[in-house]
Structures are given as structure tokens and as C-alpha cells.
């Protein structure tokens, strides 16, 4: 992919992104108006300087996932924690603000933006491994939360069926992923080999398919080579979710009136929040859907709708804080949001051409 093609694709997605952003803003406005603007402001004022506690807890979340990423590198490559944290904040800023432009480059942008520290392929392999651990932890966390919700609270019929369907899907997903990893099934390199044998893009695939196979081997073989890290990385990912539960508990302790929060209700709210994050990744900052989902679930759990909407807004304020830091780091590197996304796409495309034994694309455009 050359820079011009990347820019053309970005422009293609812009109207879609604007449409979802507008829909999110309208949904946000509706639920804020329904909950009551004054009541929401009162809740935010009750939190007050407690927002500093929220930021401290959220810092723990960024910290543990950054450490987990550093543990996924293999010798001779190593990544310092501060570089991992910096890359994570920059990549998340891209994903939060430009979801449709960068939803497929948000994670790859993290190693791409620090490829002056570690080779791009080493960073991509490590981020892929870390995301596998994270995805496993998310699946288990959501499965546990939805099970607890179904067994403990009376749900509307539609939500109950949706929850049961979600549980079945997650179970099949975890089972399928476990089978793939255990059998070390090579879907990507297998597909490339299939195309190569039929004469499709033979020039590209002559050497590229072998490199992709090596990439898969590095991911599949990580556990065999580094079993001692397996439990540590899972514990780090678990800390990410537990910090999220603690964050909700702290916020509700300040803003909830009439019903004291428990860690159990905070756990259920956070598990549903993970679902929202996964399903509505394409909505900028998940504007509107956070407020809608959290507000409705809070009512089911015994809180008021205004409490749930206030909780979602406060957590969005936390996201804006870290996104601002991520953008500042990008600007310090000389990037705008779109140029950072294009730089990532160009870096990955360049690596793909290198893998295929093709010369790099020459261009006079700056990334």
C-alpha cells in the first residue's frame, strides 16, 4: 500500500466515521437529557477530586498492559517499559479518535511508532502475542460477568436471550481458539500457500508466504519457549480488568445516592463495559453507546439511570485525559493523527513488500 492509496482509503472511510460519530453524539445527547443534566452535574461534583483516584487507577491499567507487552518480546529483542507505555498511549489515541481510519492499525501503530527502538516485525509479533493473552482474559471476564448477571438479576426477555446467545458465542470462540493454538493451525500462511499454488500473485508470495509462516511459528511457539512467562502475563491482564472493577466501585461510591455499590455490581458493570468496547470499537470514544448501555444496566442492578450515565461520562473524561496525552506524544514526534495512521500503514506495507522480496515504494511524499 503506498501513501496515496492509504490517503484515498482514509478519505473513503471519513464519511462513515462522521456518520457514526454524529449518531453517537445524538445518542449521547438523548440519554443525558433523559437522565437530567443537573443531576449528572451533581454527581460529577460529588466525585470532585476523587477523579484523581480514577486517573491513578486507570494509570495502573495502562501500566500492566504495557508491562505485559514487554514480556512478550523474545531474545535478542527487548522493549523498555517507558517506550511500551509511550507507544500504547499513542496507539490508543489513534484508536479512540480515528476508529474507522485506524481500527485496523491502532494495535500495529504501537510497534510501528517505536520501530527506532525495536525492529517492526519483533514489535508486531510481541503485540500480537500480548493481544492473544488479552483477548483470552477478556473472553473469560465477559463470560463470568454475563453468567453472574443471568443467575443473579431478573432481565428483560430480549436482554436475557441476547446474554445467553453471547455466552454460547464466547464459549465457542474460546474453544475454537484453544483448538487453533493447540493444533497450531496456520490459517494465514495456509491461505497464502493456496493462492501461490494456483498462480495468484506468485511474485509477491514467492518469499512472503515463508515469512508469514515464520511469523505464525513465533506466535504459536511462544508458550513452548517461554512457559515461565505465561502465568505472569495472564496475571497482568487480570490486573487490567480488576483495576477496571475497582475504578467503577470508586466512582459509584462517590456518585450513587441511596444504594451503596458492591464489588459484585462493579464487576458486572465492567464486564458489560468490555462488551461495549469490543462491539462498538468503530464509534469514536464509544460516545452515546457507553451512556446508553451503562445507564440501562445500572437500572437493572438497582441504581438509577442517572447514576449509570454519570459513571459513563466520568470514565469518558478519563479516556479523554489519556487520549490528550497520547496526542501530545504524537505531536512531539512530529505527527498528526492522520499522518501517524498513514505512517503505520506505510511501515506495514513496506514490511510486506520486504517479505515478498520486492523493492520499497519510492515516493516524495512525507509520512
Amino acid at each position: 500500500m503506498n501513501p496515496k492509496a492509504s490517503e484515498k482509503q482514509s478519505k473513503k472511510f471519513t464519511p462513515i466515521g462522521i456518520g457514526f460519530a454524529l449518531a453517537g453524539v445524538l445518542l449521547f445527547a438523548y440519554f443525558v437529557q433523559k437522565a437530567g443534566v443537573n443531576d449528572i452535574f451533581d454527581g460529577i461534583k460529588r466525585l470532585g477530586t476523587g477523579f484523581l483516584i480514577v486517573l491513578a487507577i486507570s494509570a495502573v491499567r495502562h501500566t500492566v498492559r504495557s508491562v505485559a507487552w514487554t514480556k512478550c518480546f523474545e531474545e535478542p529483542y527487548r522493549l523498555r517499559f517507558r517506550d511500551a507505555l509511550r507507544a500504547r498511549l499513542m496507539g490508543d489515541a489513534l484508536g479512540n479518535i480515528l476508529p474507522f481510519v485506524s481500527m485496523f492499525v491502532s494495535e500495529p501503530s504501537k510497534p510501528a511508532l517505536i520501530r527506532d527502538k525495536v525492529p517492526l516485525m519483533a514489535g508486531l509479533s510481541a503485540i500480537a502475542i500480548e493481544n492473544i493473552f488479552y483477548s483470552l482474559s477478556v473472553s473469560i471476564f465477559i463470560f463470568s460477568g454475563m453468567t453472574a448477571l443471568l443467575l443473579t438479576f431478573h432481565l428483560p426477555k430480549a436482554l436475557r436471550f441476547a446474554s445467553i446467545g453471547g455466552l454460547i458465542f464466547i464459549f465457542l470462540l474460546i474453544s475454537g481458539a484453544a483448538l487453533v493454538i493447540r493444533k497450531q493451525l496456520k490459517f494465514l500462511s495456509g491461505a497464502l500457500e493456496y493462492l501461490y499454488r494456483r498462480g495468484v500473485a506468485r511474485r509477491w508470495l514467492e518469499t512472503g508466504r515463508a515469512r508469514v509462516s515464520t511469523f505464525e511459528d513465533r506466535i504459536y511457539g511462544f508458550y513452548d519457549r517461554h512457559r515461565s512467562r505465561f502465568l505472569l502475563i495472564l496475571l497482568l491482564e487480570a490486573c487490567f480488568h480488576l483495576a477496571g472493577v475497582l475504578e467503577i466501585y470508586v466512582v459509584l461510591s462517590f456518585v450513587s445516592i441511596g444504594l451503596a455499590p458492591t464489588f459484585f455490581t462493579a464487576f458486572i458493570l465492567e464486564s458489560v463495559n468490555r462488551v461495549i468496547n469490543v462491539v462498538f470499537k468503530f464509534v469514536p470514544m464509544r460516545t452515546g453507546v457507553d451512556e446508553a448501555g451503562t445507564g440501562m444496566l445500572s437500572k437493572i442492578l438497582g441504581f438509577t439511570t442517572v447514576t449509570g450515565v454519570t459513571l459513563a461520562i466520568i470514565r469518558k473524561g478519563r479516556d479523554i485525559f489519556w487520549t490528550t496525552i497520547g496526542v501530545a506524544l504524537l505531536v512531539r514526534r512530529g505527527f498528526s493523527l492522520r499522518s501517524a495512521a498513514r505512517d503505520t500503514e506505510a511501515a506495514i506495507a513496506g514490511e510486506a513488500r520486504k517479505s515478498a522480496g520486492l523493492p520499497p515504494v519510492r515516493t516524495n511524499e512525507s509520512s
Side-chain angles (χ1 to χ4, degrees):
M1 180 184 298
N2 59 48
K4 289 184 178 180
S6 174
E7 184 175 358
K8 184 177 180 180
Q9 185 178 23
S10 296
K11 289 181 179 180
K12 179 181 178 181
F13 282 122
T14 297
I16 302 176
I18 292 175
F20 277 107
L22 180 60
V25 169
L26 293 175
L27 189 62
F28 174 85
Y30 171 78
F31 273 91
V32 167
Q33 187 275 333
K34 182 178 180 180
V37 176
N38 292 333
D39 290 335
I40 292 173
F41 275 128
D42 288 341
I44 294 174
K45 286 191 292 185
R46 284 194 296 276
L47 176 66
T49 55
F51 187 64
L52 296 177
I53 302 176
V54 174
L55 292 180
I57 296 172
S58 63
V60 172
R61 306 184 82 192
H62 286 293
T63 297
V64 294
R65 284 206 66 188
S66 298
V67 173
W69 183 20
T70 65
K71 298 300 179 183
C72 293
F73 278 85
E74 297 190 273
E75 295 73 13
Y77 305 111
R78 295 183 63 185
L79 181 65
R80 295 180 301 180
F81 164 73
R82 67 180 183 180
D83 293 325
L85 179 60
R86 179 163 57 93
R88 174 174 169 77
L89 293 176
M90 290 189 291
D92 283 355
L94 286 175
N96 283 335
I97 300 178
L98 302 174
F100 249 104
V101 173
S102 61
M103 65 184 300
F104 297 112
V105 299
S106 177
E107 289 302 307
S109 71
K110 296 170 184 178
L113 290 170
I114 56 165
R115 59 188 184 275
D116 57 323
K117 305 297 182 182
V118 291
L120 179 57
M121 283 306 295
L124 286 172
S125 297
I127 203 71
I129 292 169
E130 192 275 331
N131 271 274
I132 290 173
F133 279 100
Y134 174 70
S135 298
L136 174 62
S137 69
V138 167
S139 298
I140 295 173
F141 187 76
I142 292 175
F143 188 89
S144 302
M146 293 180 71
T147 301
L149 179 64
L150 278 168
L151 296 178
T152 309
F153 295 92
H154 177 71
L155 304 179
K157 191 174 182 179
L159 182 57
R160 176 172 290 274
F161 285 143
S163 298
I164 293 173
L167 287 176
I168 295 173
F169 174 77
I170 293 173
F171 176 78
L172 294 175
L173 184 66
I174 294 176
S175 301
L179 179 63
V180 168
I181 294 174
R182 183 177 179 182
K183 299 291 186 180
Q184 296 191 9
L185 302 177
K186 297 184 177 181
F187 287 113
L188 185 55
S189 60
L192 295 181
E193 185 67 31
Y194 176 85
L195 294 174
Y196 177 77
R197 289 176 178 175
R198 278 152 182 77
V200 178
R202 292 186 69 91
R203 185 183 175 191
W204 284 77
L205 299 178
E206 185 66 40
T207 57
R209 57 202 171 95
R211 297 205 179 203
V212 171
S213 180
T214 300
F215 181 78
E216 289 176 324
D217 286 336
R218 292 177 67 178
I219 295 175
Y220 285 134
F222 181 83
Y223 176 65
D224 291 330
R225 294 187 293 268
H226 303 284
R227 295 191 179 190
S228 60
R229 301 185 196 177
F230 188 81
L231 181 59
L232 174 60
I233 296 172
L234 274 181
L235 287 175
L236 288 168
E237 304 293 0
C239 287
F240 174 86
H241 300 299
L242 293 176
V245 174
L246 178 61
E247 183 181 85
I248 289 180
Y249 178 82
V250 168
V251 173
L252 291 178
S253 297
F254 280 95
V255 305
S256 178
I257 297 177
L259 179 64
T262 64
F263 282 105
F264 182 69
T265 53
F267 163 67
I268 292 177
L269 280 165
E270 175 61 11
S271 66
V272 173
N273 181 262
R274 288 298 94 202
V275 176
I276 293 173
N277 271 268
V278 171
V279 176
F280 296 98
K281 178 71 173 176
F282 55 87
V283 179
M285 301 291 289
R286 296 167 304 282
T287 303
V289 291
D290 262 345
E291 289 71 25
T294 308
M296 290 187 290
L297 180 61
S298 294
K299 191 171 183 180
I300 292 173
L301 299 180
F303 299 100
T304 61
T305 300
V306 66
T307 297
V309 174
T310 304
L311 169 63
I313 291 175
I314 290 171
R315 300 191 89 188
K316 189 168 274 74
R318 169 260 281 164
D319 286 339
I320 292 173
F321 173 84
W322 291 112
T323 298
T324 301
I325 293 180
V327 171
L329 290 171
L330 285 169
V331 172
R332 186 179 179 184
R333 292 277 313 270
F335 288 108
S336 67
L337 289 170
R338 290 190 180 278
S339 66
R342 289 196 296 269
D343 178 78
T344 297
E345 293 170 343
I348 294 173
E351 190 65 37
R353 292 182 65 85
K354 180 181 176 182
S355 297
L358 298 175
V361 175
R362 296 187 180 279
T363 175
N364 293 325
E365 292 188 23
S366 171
S367 61

